[in-house]
Amino acid sequence: MTSTTEQFADLAATTLLRFATAGSVDDGKSTLVGRLLHDSKSVLTDQLEAVERVSASRGQDAPDLALLTDGLRAEREQGITIDVAYRYFATARRRFILADTPGHVQYTRNMVTGASTADLAVVLVDARNGVIEQTRRHAAVAALLRVPHVVLAVNKMDLVGYEESVFAKIAEEFTAYASDLGVPEITAIPISALAGDNVVEPSAHMDWYGGPTVLEHLETVPVSHDLTACPARFPVQYVIRPQTAEHPDYRGYAGQIASGVLRVGEAVTVLPSGRTSTIEGIDALGESVDIAWAPQSVTVRLKDDIDISRGDLIAPSASAPATTQDVVATVCHVADQPLAVGARVLLKHTTRTVKAIVKEIPSRLTLDDLSQHPAPGQLVANDIGRVVVRTAEPLALDAYADSRRTGSFLLIDPADGTTLAAGMAGDSFASQAKTTVQADEEGWDF
Amino acid sequence: MTATVAHLHEETDAPYALSHLDALESEAVHIFREVAGEFEKPVILFSGGKDSIVMLHLALKAFAPAPVPFTLLHVDTGHNFPEVLAYRDRAVARHGLRLHVASVQEYIDAGKLRERPDGVRNPLQTVPLTEAIQQLKFDAVFGGGRRDEEKARAKERVFSLRDEFSQWDPRRQRPELWQLYNGRHAPGEHVRVFPLSNWTELDVWQYIAREDIELPQIYFAHEREVFQRNGMWLTAGEWGGPKEGESTETRLIRYRTVGDMSCTGAVDSDATTLDAVITEIAASRLTERGATRADDKLSEAAMEDRKREGYF
C-alpha cells in the first residue's frame, strides 16, 4: 500500500463503504480499529505522537493503538467505550466510514445504532474463547438490522499458535449460527490485531489461509446496490416554490430517493392520498436528468398540480406500497425510561411523524439464545421486543426486510422528544430462526 | 430529453453507483431539507472559512431555484482575517442573504468578557454565540464541524441537542439511527446540526475543486509577515503579535484552517491552486487541527470541555 499523492490522485472516483464493528474491549476491538487506521496510513503524525506520549506515561513499551479511538474523558478514566464513535479513512480504492460500537451487554443500542446504516459488520471473537453469548448477540443484531455483509474476525490467533483447526471450528460454528438467522453473506478471517496479521498486510504465520485480509475484503466487497433493486420510494421532505419573477410557477418536491430508480415519464401514486400523476422532470441538484436512483437527493416535478406536502410518499403506480395504521414490528428500546403497553408516542417514519399508541408488546427477545419471553408488559433500555402500534394516520410502510429506509421508524416521547425505540416493520429475522418460548421470567441480564 | 448527469457515470464503474462525493453531497442536502421541514428558525454559522462556504454551497443547491430559507450568523472574534471578512460580505450580498453578527469585541468593550492573557479569543466565542441563539430565538444552528476533526467530535450526532444554556451532554445525546433525525426539543432548547459530519478534510477540498467553489485567497500560498509562537506561524498584526522576543519574517505560507488570527497557524506551502492544495493535503502527515490550531492543544480534553460549555 502506498500513502502518497498517487494514492489519492483518483480518489474522486471511489465509492463509500459504511461499516460497523462489534466486539468487546477484551476481544481487542480497539486494537483492530487502531491497526486498520495505523496500517492504512490514516493515523497522522500528531495523533500517533499523542498516543506514544500517553502510552509511555503509563509505562507501556509499545504505543497502545487502542488509545487512538478512546474519545471522551469518562471513557479514558474508566477504560471503556460508552458510545458510537465514527472514524474515517481512505485507501486508493475506497472511502470508509466506520461506526465503532462498544460490545458490552448494556450497550446493545449502540450496536443497533451503528449497524442501522452499515453495509457491512465486523464481528470480533477471541480465538481462545470462540463463539460466546456475546458473539451470538452480535450476530443476531447484524441479522436483525439486515446488514448485507458480515465479517467474522477471529482475533488473537497468535495466542493459539496460529492453528488452522482452531479457526476452522470457530468459523464453522459462527457461519452455521448466522446463516440460520438469515445473514446473507459471511466471511471469516483469522487475524492478530496486535501483531498485524491479516488486518492490512497478509500474515506470514498463516499460509493455510488463502483469503483476503480484513482491509482487502473491505475494499472489494460490493457496496450494497440493493437499494436500486427495490421498487422506487420517494418520501417528500420539502416543497420548493420560489414564486419569483423568474420561476413564477415552479413547484418541486424535494427529497432523497429511499430506494429504487425514478424515471421521467413514469406514472406515480402519491400516498397516503392515492392521487396519481406522471413525473415531468427530475432536478439532480442543479442538473436536469431523466433518471435518478437511491440514495440521491433530488427534486421531482409532476405533470399535475396536486396537493402534496412534507410527509407524503411518491412511488411508481405499478409498485406502490399499501398503507396501514396497524404497525407490527420488532423494536430495539434505546431510552432509559421504559416503554409500556398503552404508551402514547410519536412515530417517525421517513419524513412523516404521526401520533401512535403502543397496543401490545407480544414478546421480548433474549439475543444470547433467541428465547422469547411472552407479554413482558414493558421494554427497558437495550431490550429487543415485538410491538403492535396503532397510528393516528395511515403510513406507507414497507417491510424492513424489503427496504431498510422505508421499513424503519422511531418511537419518540411526545413530552420531551426522547427517542424511545428504533423500529423495524415486519418479521424479525430473514429465516424464522428457532426461537424458544420461555413461560417464566428468568434472570434478566440488562 | 436531457442527458443524465455525466459525472455520476464517469466516477464509478457500477450502474446505479454513486461516487463518495455524490453520496456525501446527497446526505448533506437531505440534512438541510430535514431542518427546513421541521424547524421554525434555522441559522447557518458562516465565518467565510472553507467548511462554512461548503455548507452554504450545499444549502443553495438543496433549495434551488428558490432562495435558501435560512439566515446566517457569524461570531466575529475581532481578530478575523480581513480577506475572510471581505469574502463573507461578498457571499452574503451575492446570494441576497441576511447576516447576523455577534461580536466578541463588543462584549469585551462592554465589560461582559475579559481578554485572556494570551490574547486567544476563540474560547471567548461561546458566550456571544449562545446569547445570540437565545435572543434571536434560533431553534436549529448549522455548524461546519466534522467528526474527523477531533476525538470528542467523533461521538457527535448529526442532530445535537443543546439545553437552554447551549450545553452539550454526551450522555443526553439521542441515538441516531438510519437517516431518521429526531429534532424535537423543548422551548428554549435548540439543536446544532452538522451536515458535514461524515466529510473529511480531503473530501471538502475535493468537493470545492469539483464544484469550482471560490475561496478566500488566504487558503492558497502567498507571502506573509509571520512570527513563531507555540510552534506555529502566526500573522503579525495589532491583535497581539509579535511580542518582545518574537521576530517577524516573510514566508511563503497558506492556511489549512481559518479561524482567529491569534490561534490559527499557517503552514509552509507553495500550493497556489486547488489541485496543488489537494496534493499537499493528501501527502500531509499532520491532521488539520494538529498542524494549525493552538486551542485544541490546551489539554487532551480541551475540545470536550468547550463543547460541554456550548462551543461547537
Side-chain angles (χ1 to χ4, degrees):
Chain A
M1 259 198 64
T2 57
S3 172
T4 57
T5 314
E6 81 183 4
Q7 180 187 328
F8 291 101
D10 205 30
L11 257 191
T14 59
T15 48
L16 185 67
L17 180 83
R18 294 171 197 253
F19 73 106
T21 53
S24 76
V25 177
D26 313 333
D27 300 327
K29 183 170 65 71
S30 297
T31 310
L32 170 67
V33 172
R35 172 69 59 190
L36 267 178
L37 299 177
H38 178 268
D39 288 9
S40 68
K41 314 283 192 291
S42 303
V43 180
L44 299 174
T45 314
D46 48 323
Q47 293 171 305
L48 200 57
E49 279 171 358
V51 165
E52 284 164 353
R53 250 198 330 272
V54 175
S55 302
S57 73
R58 292 182 184 176
Q60 293 163 298
D61 46 11
D64 181 357
L65 293 179
L67 291 171
L68 285 170
T69 62
D70 289 347
L72 303 176
R73 177 183 292 161
E75 298 171 56
R76 285 192 298 276
E77 286 168 356
Q78 299 164 36
I80 54 159
T81 318
I82 57 172
D83 207 337
V84 186
Y86 292 89
R87 321 208 177 273
Y88 302 84
F89 63 102
T91 66
R93 300 165 85 167
R94 199 166 259 179
R95 258 279 274 117
F96 299 95
I97 300 177
L98 159 59
D100 187 6
T101 67
H104 290 297
V105 151
Q106 62 269 42
Y107 297 117
T108 298
R109 69 179 177 196
N110 289 331
M111 187 185 165
V112 169
T113 301
S116 73
T117 51
D119 297 310
L120 178 146
V122 178
V123 175
L124 208 62
V125 302
D126 184 329
R128 296 168 304 174
N129 306 335
V131 176
I132 54 175
E133 260 185 15
Q134 181 177 257
T135 317
R136 284 193 281 271
R137 193 180 315 127
H138 294 155
V141 170
L144 199 60
L145 274 290
R146 312 270 170 170
V147 179
H149 308 275
V150 170
V151 171
L152 173 73
V154 181
N155 192 23
K156 307 194 185 180
M157 287 298 294
D158 50 321
L159 302 183
V160 295
Y162 294 109
E163 276 296 327
E164 182 178 8
S165 58
V166 176
F167 167 74
K169 181 174 162 292
I170 297 170
E172 192 179 349
E173 187 184 347
F174 181 87
T175 304
Y177 188 80
S179 301
D180 259 2
L181 292 173
V183 173
E185 205 235 27
I186 302 153
T187 306
I189 305 177
I191 67 167
S192 166
L194 200 63
D197 297 275
N198 287 338
V199 178
V200 171
E201 303 294 337
S203 169
H205 303 102
M206 293 181 273
D207 293 341
W208 46 263
Y209 172 74
T213 65
V214 173
L215 187 65
E216 281 169 354
H217 182 68
L218 293 174
E219 283 182 315
T220 52
V221 73
V223 174
S224 172
H225 300 308
D226 311 351
L227 278 180
T228 52
C230 314
R233 298 287 183 256
F234 186 71
V236 175
Q237 282 187 281
Y238 192 79
V239 181
I240 295 178
R241 295 194 60 200
Q243 294 174 298
T244 54
E246 207 181 337
H247 302 279
D249 301 318
Y250 185 98
R251 189 188 184 99
Y253 305 106
Q256 185 171 28
I257 303 173
S259 64
V261 181
L262 289 179
R263 292 176 178 82
V264 170
E266 198 164 31
V268 291
T269 300
V270 180
L271 296 164
S273 73
R275 291 193 181 88
T276 56
S277 185
T278 308
I279 296 181
E280 184 177 57
I282 302 172
D283 301 327
L285 303 182
E287 301 178 81
S288 198
V289 296
D290 45 23
I291 180 172
W293 56 87
Q296 284 181 275
S297 283
V298 298
T299 305
V300 170
R301 288 174 291 110
L302 300 183
K303 275 210 169 69
D304 307 275
D305 203 3
I306 51 182
D307 181 23
I308 299 177
S309 55
R310 174 176 170 84
D312 289 344
L313 183 101
I314 296 174
S317 301
S319 52
T323 59
T324 180
Q325 286 179 256
D326 296 292
V327 180
V328 180
T330 304
V331 299
C332 173
H333 192 66
V334 298
D336 294 332
Q337 63 253 50
L339 181 75
V341 174
R344 289 175 181 272
V345 295
L346 294 168
L347 186 151
K348 180 167 186 174
H349 169 249
T350 65
T351 56
R352 190 175 180 81
T353 304
V354 298
K355 288 181 179 167
I357 296 179
V358 179
K359 285 287 187 192
E360 287 175 63
I361 304 180
S363 63
R364 192 188 62 212
L365 184 73
T366 302
L367 283 179
D368 303 339
D369 59 0
L370 300 182
S371 60
Q372 287 195 58
H373 308 255
Q378 64 171 30
L379 296 174
V380 300
N382 297 298
D383 279 358
I384 306 274
R386 298 285 291 165
V387 297
V388 178
V389 177
R390 173 80 182 168
T391 61
E393 296 167 54
L395 295 177
L397 190 72
D398 287 294
Y400 184 75
D402 297 333
S403 167
R404 288 167 88 189
R405 281 191 88 150
T406 52
S408 55
F409 61 86
L410 302 179
L411 297 182
I412 295 169
D413 184 336
D416 62 6
T418 302
T419 300
L420 298 171
M424 293 154 277
D427 293 335
S428 299
F429 294 105
S431 70
Q432 278 312 298
K434 303 171 189 66
T435 51
T436 56
V437 176
Q438 277 179 258
D440 55 338
E441 280 296 301
E442 297 277 306
W444 185 237
D445 58 0
F446 289 149
Chain B
M1 190 50 75
T2 48
T4 303
V5 181
H7 64 71
L8 295 176
H9 286 312
E10 283 168 11
E11 293 181 8
T12 55
D13 47 4
Y16 302 134
L18 284 188
S19 72
H20 77 279
L21 286 181
D22 282 320
L24 292 168
E25 181 188 54
S26 276
E27 178 184 73
V29 165
H30 174 250
I31 291 163
F32 276 113
R33 290 166 167 179
E34 274 306 276
V35 171
E38 296 215 329
F39 289 81
E40 297 291 319
K41 202 177 175 188
V43 68
I44 301 177
L45 279 184
F46 186 76
S47 62
K50 69 175 181 353
D51 296 319
S52 64
I53 288 170
V54 166
M55 267 205 300
L56 179 58
H57 182 86
L58 289 161
L60 288 161
K61 282 185 118 175
F63 302 101
V68 173
F70 314 129
T71 55
L72 307 182
L73 170 65
H74 181 216
V75 183
D76 185 348
T77 62
H79 291 165
N80 291 97
F81 293 91
E83 42 283 76
V84 177
L85 292 180
Y87 179 101
R88 177 198 76 183
D89 295 337
R90 277 203 313 278
V92 168
R94 186 186 322 148
H95 302 298
L97 296 158
R98 186 161 163 226
L99 172 75
H100 308 273
V101 178
S103 158
V104 172
Q105 189 64 54
E106 281 176 20
Y107 273 71
I108 291 172
D109 294 346
K112 290 198 256 177
L113 281 176
R114 191 179 309 167
E115 190 86 78
R116 292 160 47 113
D118 61 5
V120 172
R121 286 190 172 183
N122 257 26
L124 302 183
Q125 289 175 293
T126 305
V127 172
L129 169 66
T130 55
E131 291 197 356
I133 292 169
Q134 290 300 309
Q135 284 160 6
L136 298 163
K137 296 192 164 49
F138 296 122
D139 54 0
V141 181
F142 290 103
R146 308 187 317 263
R147 289 182 183 139
D148 79 321
E149 286 181 276
E150 198 277 337
K151 282 204 283 192
R153 280 194 168 156
K155 311 226 155 177
E156 183 58 282
R157 304 293 190 268
V158 174
F159 276 42
S160 174
L161 187 67
R162 302 299 167 100
D163 65 13
E164 64 216 293
F165 305 102
S166 283
Q167 294 177 116
W168 177 73
D169 178 354
R171 289 173 191 273
R172 244 195 95 203
Q173 297 304 310
R174 298 163 178 162
E176 215 157 58
L177 297 107
W178 299 290
Q179 287 76 22
L180 291 167
Y181 303 109
N182 175 1
R184 290 186 73 86
H185 57 281
E189 294 184 334
H190 70 279
V191 176
R192 301 270 171 99
V193 183
F194 301 103
L196 306 182
S197 283
N198 287 324
W199 297 49
T200 63
E201 182 185 17
L202 193 59
D203 296 329
V204 168
W205 281 104
Q206 287 179 333
Y207 187 73
I208 288 167
R210 188 185 91 174
E211 301 283 301
D212 198 19
I213 299 170
E214 186 207 339
L215 289 182
Q217 281 307 305
I218 193 168
Y219 281 108
F220 302 98
H222 57 287
E223 290 206 327
R224 184 175 280 260
E225 289 273 303
V226 290
F227 65 93
Q228 196 155 42
R229 181 183 297 171
N230 299 332
M232 293 187 305
W233 292 111
L234 299 178
T235 290
E238 288 179 13
W239 62 266
K243 289 182 179 154
E244 203 167 322
E246 295 170 333
S247 56
T248 56
E249 54 182 280
T250 303
R251 296 183 74 91
L252 187 63
I253 54 98
R254 69 175 193 86
Y255 285 88
R256 269 175 82 173
T257 67
V258 169
D260 198 40
M261 280 197 228
S262 57
C263 66
T264 308
V267 293
D268 287 318
S269 167
D270 57 7
T272 54
T273 64
L274 273 176
D275 283 347
V277 167
I278 290 170
T279 301
E280 193 178 271
I281 289 167
S284 167
R285 304 303 308 144
L286 282 178
T287 61
E288 184 177 295
R289 284 181 169 266
T292 63
R293 287 294 181 97
D295 50 343
D296 293 343
K297 294 185 179 175
L298 299 174
S299 83
E300 209 192 332
M303 176 67 90
E304 186 183 340
D305 291 341
R306 283 160 59 213
K307 279 178 70 71
R308 284 173 182 274
E309 289 163 12
Y311 187 77
F312 270 83

